[in-house]
Amino acid sequence: MTVATAFAGMRRVTPVVFKAGCPDCRGRFELAASALRLAIGASSRTTFYSFTCPGCGAAVRKPAGERIVELLTGGGVRTLRLHSTV
């Protein structure tokens, strides 16, 4: 099967974008999945997403609850699983 055959009939896919805000410059914007990173830790305190503010360049880190994790992973955001050292 060729690539053309495999994708025949598929429609154009709309890229996923996420709305975000910067706590430093108070800017509001939309980010592609490739601009975000998700870290999943052992607890809610160690699970967060991060990005660089396109407005001011600040490194932003925000907590990610279960729903946010679900949305980000479903939208193709790269995920890092943090392991606890016990």
Side-chain angles (χ1 to χ4, degrees):
M1 175 182 290
T2 67
V3 172
T5 304
F7 291 102
M10 289 187 72
R11 298 172 191 250
R12 195 176 94 202
V13 177
T14 304
V16 176
V17 292
F18 298 93
K19 292 185 180 184
C22 176
D24 288 353
C25 71
R26 303 280 187 219
R28 310 250 346 128
F29 39 83
E30 292 183 344
L31 295 173
S34 61
L36 295 157
R37 299 293 175 269
L38 174 63
I40 300 176
S43 71
S44 61
R45 292 174 60 202
T46 57
T47 300
F48 60 91
Y49 65 99
S50 62
F51 57 91
T52 300
C53 175
C56 69
V60 179
R61 177 176 162 167
K62 294 188 174 187
E66 288 182 32
R67 181 71 177 137
I68 298 295
V69 169
E70 183 181 320
L71 291 170
L72 294 177
T73 55
V77 172
R78 283 195 280 181
T79 303
L80 172 65
R81 296 202 181 269
L82 305 175
H83 297 282
S84 62
T85 53
V86 181

Coordinates of all heavy atoms in Angstrom, one line a residue:
M1 N 0.8 -1.2 0.0 CA 0.0 0.0 0.0 C 0.9 1.2 0.0 O 1.8 1.3 0.8 CB -0.9 0.0 1.2 CG -1.7 1.2 1.4 SD -2.8 1.3 2.9 CE -4.0 0.0 2.5
T2 N 0.6 2.2 -0.8 CA 1.3 3.4 -0.9 C 0.8 4.4 0.1 O -0.4 4.3 0.6 CB 1.2 4.0 -2.3 OG1 -0.1 4.5 -2.5 CG2 1.7 3.1 -3.4
V3 N 1.5 5.5 0.4 CA 1.1 6.5 1.3 C -0.2 7.2 0.7 O -1.1 7.5 1.4 CB 2.2 7.6 1.5 CG1 1.7 8.7 2.3 CG2 3.4 6.9 2.2
A4 N -0.1 7.4 -0.6 CA -1.3 8.1 -1.2 C -2.5 7.3 -1.0 O -3.6 7.8 -0.8 CB -1.0 8.3 -2.7
T5 N -2.4 5.9 -1.2 CA -3.6 5.1 -1.0 C -4.1 5.1 0.5 O -5.3 5.1 0.8 CB -3.2 3.6 -1.4 OG1 -2.8 3.6 -2.7 CG2 -4.4 2.7 -1.3
A6 N -3.1 5.0 1.4 CA -3.5 5.0 2.8 C -4.2 6.2 3.3 O -5.1 6.2 4.1 CB -2.2 4.8 3.7
F7 N -3.8 7.4 2.7 CA -4.5 8.6 3.1 C -5.5 9.2 2.1 O -6.0 10.3 2.3 CB -3.4 9.7 3.3 CG -2.5 9.4 4.5 CD1 -1.2 8.9 4.3 CD2 -3.0 9.7 5.8 CE1 -0.4 8.6 5.4 CE2 -2.2 9.4 6.9 CZ -0.9 8.8 6.7
A8 N -5.9 8.4 1.2 CA -6.9 8.8 0.2 C -8.2 9.0 0.9 O -8.6 8.2 1.8 CB -7.1 7.7 -0.9
G9 N -8.9 10.1 0.6 CA -10.2 10.4 1.2 C -10.1 11.1 2.5 O -11.1 11.6 3.1
M10 N -8.9 11.3 3.1 CA -8.8 12.0 4.4 C -8.8 13.5 4.1 O -8.4 14.0 3.0 CB -7.4 11.7 5.1 CG -7.4 10.3 5.6 SD -5.9 10.0 6.6 CE -6.3 11.0 8.0
R11 N -9.4 14.2 5.0 CA -9.6 15.6 4.9 C -8.4 16.3 5.6 O -7.7 15.7 6.4 CB -10.9 16.1 5.5 CG -12.0 15.5 4.7 CD -13.3 15.8 5.4 NE -14.4 15.0 4.9 CZ -15.4 15.5 4.2 NH1 -15.4 16.7 3.9 NH2 -16.3 14.7 3.7
R12 N -8.3 17.6 5.3 CA -7.2 18.3 6.0 C -7.4 18.3 7.5 O -8.6 18.5 8.0 CB -7.2 19.8 5.4 CG -5.9 20.5 5.8 CD -5.9 21.9 5.2 NE -6.5 22.8 6.2 CZ -7.0 23.9 6.0 NH1 -7.1 24.4 4.8 NH2 -7.5 24.7 7.0
V13 N -6.4 18.2 8.2 CA -6.5 18.2 9.7 C -6.2 19.6 10.2 O -5.2 20.2 9.9 CB -5.5 17.1 10.3 CG1 -5.5 17.2 11.8 CG2 -5.8 15.7 9.8
T14 N -7.0 20.1 11.1 CA -6.8 21.4 11.7 C -5.9 21.2 12.9 O -6.1 20.4 13.8 CB -8.1 22.0 12.2 OG1 -9.0 22.0 11.1 CG2 -7.9 23.3 12.8
P15 N -4.8 22.0 12.9 CA -3.9 21.8 14.1 C -4.5 22.2 15.4 O -5.3 23.1 15.4 CB -2.7 22.8 13.7 CG -3.1 23.5 12.5 CD -4.4 22.9 12.0
V16 N -4.1 21.5 16.4 CA -4.7 21.8 17.8 C -3.9 23.0 18.3 O -2.7 23.1 18.2 CB -4.5 20.6 18.7 CG1 -4.9 20.9 20.1 CG2 -5.2 19.4 18.2
V17 N -4.6 24.0 18.9 CA -4.0 25.1 19.6 C -4.6 25.2 21.0 O -5.7 24.8 21.2 CB -4.2 26.5 18.8 CG1 -3.5 26.5 17.5 CG2 -5.7 26.7 18.6
F18 N -3.8 25.7 21.9 CA -4.2 25.8 23.3 C -4.1 27.3 23.7 O -3.2 28.0 23.3 CB -3.2 25.0 24.2 CG -3.3 23.5 23.9 CD1 -2.4 22.9 23.0 CD2 -4.2 22.7 24.5 CE1 -2.4 21.6 22.8 CE2 -4.3 21.4 24.2 CZ -3.4 20.8 23.4
K19 N -5.1 27.8 24.4 CA -5.1 29.1 24.9 C -4.2 29.1 26.2 O -4.4 28.2 27.0 CB -6.5 29.6 25.2 CG -7.3 29.8 23.9 CD -8.6 30.4 24.2 CE -9.4 30.5 22.9 NZ -10.6 31.2 23.0
A20 N -3.4 30.2 26.4 CA -2.6 30.3 27.5 C -2.4 31.7 27.9 O -2.7 32.6 27.1 CB -1.2 29.6 27.2
G21 N -1.9 31.9 29.1 CA -1.6 33.3 29.6 C -0.3 33.3 30.3 O 0.1 32.4 30.9
C22 N 0.3 34.5 30.3 CA 1.6 34.7 30.9 C 1.4 35.5 32.2 O 0.8 36.6 32.2 CB 2.6 35.4 30.0 SG 4.1 35.8 30.8
P23 N 1.8 34.9 33.4 CA 1.7 35.7 34.6 C 2.6 36.9 34.7 O 2.3 37.8 35.5 CB 2.0 34.6 35.7 CG 2.8 33.6 35.0 CD 2.4 33.6 33.6
D24 N 3.7 36.9 33.9 CA 4.6 38.0 34.0 C 4.1 39.2 33.2 O 4.0 40.3 33.8 CB 6.0 37.6 33.4 CG 6.7 36.7 34.4 OD1 6.2 36.5 35.5 OD2 7.8 36.2 34.0
C25 N 3.8 39.1 31.9 CA 3.4 40.2 31.1 C 1.9 40.3 30.9 O 1.4 41.2 30.3 CB 4.0 40.1 29.7 SG 3.4 38.8 28.6
R26 N 1.1 39.3 31.5 CA -0.3 39.2 31.4 C -0.8 39.1 30.0 O -2.0 39.3 29.7 CB -1.0 40.5 32.0 CG -0.6 40.7 33.5 CD -1.4 39.8 34.4 NE -1.1 40.2 35.8 CZ -1.0 39.3 36.7 NH1 -1.1 38.0 36.5 NH2 -0.7 39.7 37.9
G27 N 0.0 38.7 29.1 CA -0.4 38.4 27.7 C -1.2 37.2 27.6 O -1.1 36.2 28.4
R28 N -2.2 37.2 26.6 CA -3.0 36.0 26.4 C -2.8 35.7 24.9 O -2.7 36.5 24.0 CB -4.5 36.4 26.6 CG -4.8 37.0 27.9 CD -5.5 36.3 29.0 NE -6.2 35.1 28.7 CZ -6.1 34.0 29.4 NH1 -5.2 33.9 30.4 NH2 -6.8 32.9 29.2
F29 N -2.6 34.4 24.6 CA -2.3 34.0 23.3 C -2.6 32.5 23.1 O -3.1 31.8 24.0 CB -0.8 34.2 23.0 CG 0.0 33.8 24.2 CD1 0.4 32.5 24.5 CD2 0.4 34.8 25.1 CE1 1.2 32.2 25.6 CE2 1.2 34.5 26.3 CZ 1.5 33.2 26.5
E30 N -2.5 32.0 21.8 CA -2.7 30.6 21.5 C -1.4 30.0 21.2 O -0.5 30.6 20.5 CB -3.7 30.5 20.3 CG -5.1 31.0 20.6 CD -6.0 30.8 19.5 OE1 -5.6 30.6 18.3 OE2 -7.2 30.8 19.7
L31 N -1.2 28.8 21.6 CA 0.1 28.0 21.4 C -0.2 26.7 20.7 O -1.2 26.0 21.0 CB 0.8 27.7 22.7 CG 1.3 28.9 23.5 CD1 1.8 28.4 24.9 CD2 2.4 29.6 22.8
A32 N 0.7 26.3 19.8 CA 0.6 25.0 19.2 C 1.1 24.0 20.2 O 1.8 24.3 21.1 CB 1.4 25.0 17.9
A33 N 0.7 22.7 20.0 CA 1.1 21.7 20.9 C 2.6 21.6 21.0 O 3.2 21.3 22.0 CB 0.5 20.3 20.4
S34 N 3.3 21.9 19.9 CA 4.8 21.8 19.9 C 5.4 22.9 20.8 O 6.6 22.8 21.1 CB 5.3 22.0 18.4 OG 4.9 23.2 17.9
A35 N 4.7 23.9 21.2 CA 5.3 25.0 22.0 C 5.1 24.7 23.5 O 5.6 25.4 24.4 CB 4.6 26.3 21.7
L36 N 4.4 23.6 23.9 CA 4.1 23.2 25.2 C 4.9 21.9 25.6 O 5.2 21.1 24.7 CB 2.7 23.0 25.5 CG 1.8 24.2 25.3 CD1 0.3 23.8 25.0 CD2 1.8 25.0 26.5
R37 N 5.2 21.8 26.9 CA 5.8 20.6 27.4 C 5.0 20.2 28.7 O 4.6 21.1 29.5 CB 7.2 20.8 27.9 CG 8.2 21.2 26.7 CD 8.3 20.1 25.7 NE 9.1 20.5 24.6 CZ 8.6 21.1 23.5 NH1 7.3 21.3 23.4 NH2 9.4 21.4 22.5
L38 N 4.7 18.9 28.9 CA 4.0 18.4 30.0 C 4.9 17.5 30.8 O 5.5 16.6 30.2 CB 2.7 17.7 29.5 CG 1.9 17.0 30.6 CD1 1.3 17.9 31.6 CD2 0.8 16.2 29.9
A39 N 5.0 17.7 32.1 CA 5.7 16.8 33.0 C 4.7 16.2 33.9 O 4.0 16.9 34.6 CB 6.8 17.6 33.8
I40 N 4.7 14.8 34.0 CA 3.8 14.1 34.9 C 4.6 13.5 36.0 O 5.4 12.6 35.7 CB 3.0 13.1 34.1 CG1 2.2 13.7 33.0 CG2 2.1 12.3 35.0 CD1 1.4 12.8 32.1
G41 N 4.3 14.0 37.2 CA 5.0 13.5 38.3 C 4.2 12.5 39.2 O 3.1 12.1 38.8
A42 N 4.7 12.1 40.3 CA 4.0 11.2 41.2 C 2.8 11.8 41.9 O 2.0 11.1 42.4 CB 5.0 10.6 42.2
S43 N 2.7 13.1 41.9 CA 1.6 13.8 42.6 C 1.2 15.0 41.8 O 1.8 15.4 40.9 CB 2.1 14.2 44.0 OG 3.0 15.3 44.0
S44 N 0.1 15.6 42.3 CA -0.4 16.8 41.6 C 0.6 18.0 41.8 O 0.7 18.9 41.0 CB -1.7 17.2 42.2 OG -1.6 17.5 43.6
R45 N 1.4 17.9 42.8 CA 2.4 19.0 43.1 C 3.6 18.9 42.1 O 4.3 19.9 41.9 CB 3.0 18.9 44.5 CG 1.9 19.3 45.5 CD 2.3 19.1 46.9 NE 3.4 20.0 47.2 CZ 4.3 19.7 48.2 NH1 4.1 18.7 49.0 NH2 5.3 20.5 48.4
T46 N 3.8 17.7 41.5 CA 4.9 17.5 40.6 C 4.4 17.3 39.1 O 5.2 16.8 38.3 CB 5.8 16.3 41.0 OG1 5.0 15.2 41.1 CG2 6.5 16.6 42.3
T47 N 3.2 17.6 38.9 CA 2.7 17.5 37.5 C 2.4 18.9 37.0 O 1.6 19.7 37.6 CB 1.4 16.6 37.5 OG1 1.7 15.3 38.0 CG2 0.8 16.5 36.1
F48 N 3.0 19.3 35.9 CA 2.9 20.7 35.4 C 3.1 20.7 33.9 O 3.6 19.8 33.3 CB 3.9 21.6 36.1 CG 5.3 21.2 35.9 CD1 6.0 21.7 34.8 CD2 5.9 20.3 36.7 CE1 7.3 21.3 34.6 CE2 7.2 19.9 36.5 CZ 7.9 20.4 35.5
Y49 N 2.7 21.8 33.3 CA 3.0 22.1 31.9 C 3.8 23.4 31.9 O 3.8 24.2 32.8 CB 1.8 22.1 31.0 CG 0.8 23.3 31.2 CD1 0.9 24.4 30.5 CD2 -0.1 23.2 32.2 CE1 0.0 25.4 30.7 CE2 -1.0 24.2 32.4 CZ -1.0 25.3 31.7 OH -1.9 26.3 31.9
S50 N 4.6 23.5 30.8 CA 5.5 24.7 30.7 C 5.6 25.2 29.2 O 5.3 24.4 28.3 CB 6.9 24.4 31.3 OG 7.5 23.4 30.5
F51 N 5.9 26.4 29.1 CA 6.1 27.0 27.8 C 6.9 28.3 27.9 O 7.0 28.8 29.0 CB 4.7 27.3 27.1 CG 3.8 28.2 27.9 CD1 3.8 29.6 27.7 CD2 2.9 27.7 28.8 CE1 3.0 30.4 28.4 CE2 2.1 28.5 29.5 CZ 2.1 29.9 29.3
T52 N 7.3 28.8 26.8 CA 8.0 30.1 26.8 C 7.0 31.1 26.3 O 6.4 30.9 25.2 CB 9.3 30.1 25.9 OG1 10.2 29.1 26.4 CG2 10.0 31.4 25.9
C53 N 6.8 32.2 27.0 CA 5.9 33.3 26.6 C 6.3 33.9 25.3 O 7.5 34.4 25.2 CB 5.7 34.3 27.7 SG 4.7 35.7 27.2
P54 N 5.5 33.9 24.3 CA 5.9 34.5 23.0 C 5.9 36.0 23.1 O 6.5 36.7 22.3 CB 4.8 34.0 22.0 CG 3.6 33.6 22.9 CD 4.2 33.2 24.2
G55 N 5.3 36.6 24.1 CA 5.3 38.0 24.3 C 6.5 38.6 25.0 O 7.1 39.5 24.5
C56 N 6.9 38.0 26.1 CA 8.0 38.6 26.8 C 9.2 37.6 27.0 O 10.2 38.0 27.5 CB 7.5 39.0 28.2 SG 7.1 37.6 29.3
G57 N 9.0 36.4 26.6 CA 10.1 35.4 26.6 C 10.3 34.7 28.0 O 11.3 34.0 28.1
A58 N 9.4 35.0 28.9 CA 9.5 34.3 30.2 C 9.2 32.8 30.2 O 8.4 32.4 29.4 CB 8.5 35.0 31.2
A59 N 9.9 32.1 31.0 CA 9.7 30.7 31.1 C 8.5 30.5 32.1 O 8.5 31.0 33.2 CB 10.9 29.9 31.7
V60 N 7.4 29.9 31.6 CA 6.2 29.8 32.4 C 5.9 28.3 32.8 O 6.1 27.5 31.9 CB 5.0 30.4 31.6 CG1 3.7 30.2 32.4 CG2 5.2 31.8 31.2
R61 N 5.6 28.1 34.0 CA 5.3 26.8 34.5 C 4.0 26.8 35.3 O 3.9 27.7 36.2 CB 6.5 26.3 35.4 CG 6.2 25.0 36.0 CD 7.5 24.5 36.8 NE 7.1 23.5 37.7 CZ 8.0 22.7 38.3 NH1 9.3 23.0 38.2 NH2 7.7 21.8 39.2
K62 N 3.0 26.0 34.9 CA 1.7 26.0 35.6 C 1.3 24.6 36.0 O 1.7 23.6 35.3 CB 0.7 26.6 34.7 CG 0.9 28.1 34.3 CD -0.3 28.6 33.6 CE -0.1 30.1 33.4 NZ -1.3 30.7 32.8
P63 N 0.6 24.4 37.1 CA 0.2 23.1 37.5 C -0.8 22.5 36.5 O -1.6 23.2 35.9 CB -0.5 23.4 38.9 CG -0.8 24.8 38.9 CD 0.1 25.5 38.0
A64 N -0.8 21.2 36.4 CA -1.7 20.5 35.5 C -2.5 19.4 36.2 O -1.9 18.4 36.7 CB -0.9 19.9 34.3
G65 N -3.8 19.7 36.4 CA -4.6 18.6 37.0 C -5.0 17.6 36.0 O -4.5 17.6 34.8
E66 N -5.8 16.6 36.4 CA -6.1 15.5 35.5 C -6.7 15.9 34.2 O -6.4 15.4 33.2 CB -7.1 14.6 36.3 CG -6.5 13.8 37.4 CD -7.5 12.8 38.0 OE1 -8.4 12.3 37.3 OE2 -7.3 12.6 39.2
R67 N -7.6 16.9 34.2 CA -8.3 17.3 33.0 C -7.3 18.0 32.0 O -7.3 17.8 30.8 CB -9.4 18.3 33.3 CG -10.2 18.8 32.1 CD -11.0 17.7 31.5 NE -11.8 18.3 30.4 CZ -11.9 17.7 29.2 NH1 -11.4 16.5 29.0 NH2 -12.6 18.2 28.3
I68 N -6.4 18.8 32.6 CA -5.4 19.5 31.8 C -4.5 18.4 31.1 O -4.1 18.5 30.0 CB -4.6 20.5 32.6 CG1 -5.5 21.6 33.1 CG2 -3.4 21.1 31.8 CD1 -6.1 22.5 32.0
V69 N -4.1 17.5 31.9 CA -3.2 16.4 31.4 C -3.9 15.7 30.3 O -3.3 15.4 29.2 CB -2.8 15.4 32.5 CG1 -2.2 14.1 32.0 CG2 -1.9 16.1 33.6
E70 N -5.2 15.4 30.4 CA -6.0 14.7 29.4 C -6.0 15.5 28.1 O -5.8 15.0 27.0 CB -7.4 14.4 29.9 CG -8.3 13.7 29.0 CD -9.7 13.5 29.6 OE1 -9.8 13.2 30.8 OE2 -10.6 13.6 28.8
L71 N -6.3 16.8 28.2 CA -6.4 17.7 27.1 C -5.0 17.8 26.4 O -5.0 17.8 25.1 CB -6.9 19.1 27.5 CG -8.4 19.1 27.9 CD1 -8.7 20.5 28.5 CD2 -9.3 18.8 26.8
L72 N -4.0 18.0 27.1 CA -2.7 18.2 26.5 C -2.1 17.0 25.9 O -1.6 17.0 24.7 CB -1.7 18.7 27.6 CG -1.9 20.1 28.2 CD1 -0.9 20.4 29.2 CD2 -1.9 21.2 27.1
T73 N -2.3 15.8 26.5 CA -1.8 14.6 25.9 C -2.7 14.2 24.7 O -2.1 13.8 23.6 CB -1.8 13.4 26.9 OG1 -3.1 13.2 27.4 CG2 -0.8 13.6 28.0
G74 N -4.0 14.5 24.7 CA -4.8 14.2 23.6 C -4.5 15.2 22.4 O -4.8 14.8 21.3
G75 N -4.0 16.3 22.7 CA -3.7 17.3 21.7 C -2.3 17.2 21.1 O -1.8 18.0 20.3
G76 N -1.5 16.2 21.6 CA -0.2 15.9 21.0 C 0.9 16.7 21.7 O 2.0 16.7 21.1
V77 N 0.8 17.2 22.9 CA 1.8 17.8 23.6 C 2.9 16.8 24.1 O 2.5 15.7 24.6 CB 1.3 18.6 24.8 CG1 2.4 19.2 25.7 CG2 0.4 19.8 24.3
R78 N 4.1 17.1 23.9 CA 5.2 16.1 24.3 C 5.2 16.0 25.8 O 5.0 17.0 26.6 CB 6.6 16.6 23.9 CG 6.8 16.3 22.4 CD 8.2 16.4 22.0 NE 8.5 17.9 21.9 CZ 9.7 18.3 21.5 NH1 10.7 17.5 21.4 NH2 9.9 19.6 21.4
T79 N 5.3 14.8 26.3 CA 5.1 14.5 27.7 C 6.4 13.8 28.3 O 7.0 12.9 27.7 CB 3.9 13.5 27.9 OG1 2.8 14.2 27.4 CG2 3.7 13.3 29.4
L80 N 6.8 14.3 29.5 CA 7.9 13.7 30.2 C 7.3 13.1 31.5 O 6.6 13.8 32.2 CB 8.9 14.8 30.5 CG 10.1 14.4 31.5 CD1 10.9 13.3 30.8 CD2 10.9 15.6 31.8
R81 N 7.6 11.8 31.7 CA 7.1 11.2 32.9 C 8.2 11.2 34.0 O 9.3 10.7 33.7 CB 6.7 9.8 32.7 CG 5.5 9.7 31.7 CD 4.7 8.4 31.9 NE 3.6 8.4 31.0 CZ 2.4 8.9 31.3 NH1 2.1 9.3 32.5 NH2 1.4 8.8 30.4
L82 N 8.0 11.9 35.1 CA 9.0 12.0 36.1 C 8.9 10.8 37.1 O 7.8 10.4 37.5 CB 8.8 13.3 36.9 CG 8.8 14.6 36.1 CD1 8.4 15.8 37.0 CD2 10.1 14.8 35.4
H83 N 10.0 10.2 37.4 CA 10.0 9.0 38.3 C 10.5 9.5 39.6 O 11.4 10.3 39.8 CB 11.0 8.0 37.8 CG 10.6 7.4 36.4 ND1 9.6 6.5 36.2 CD2 11.1 7.7 35.2 CE1 9.5 6.2 35.0 NE2 10.3 6.9 34.3
S84 N 9.8 8.9 40.6 CA 10.2 9.3 42.0 C 11.4 8.4 42.4 O 11.6 7.3 42.0 CB 9.0 9.0 43.0 OG 8.7 7.7 43.0
T85 N 12.2 9.0 43.3 CA 13.4 8.2 43.7 C 13.1 7.9 45.2 O 13.3 8.7 46.1 CB 14.7 9.1 43.7 OG1 14.4 10.3 44.3 CG2 15.0 9.3 42.2
V86 N 12.7 6.6 45.4 CA 12.3 6.2 46.7 C 13.4 5.3 47.3 O 14.0 4.6 46.7 CB 11.0 5.4 46.6 CG1 10.6 4.9 48.0 CG2 9.9 6.2 46.0

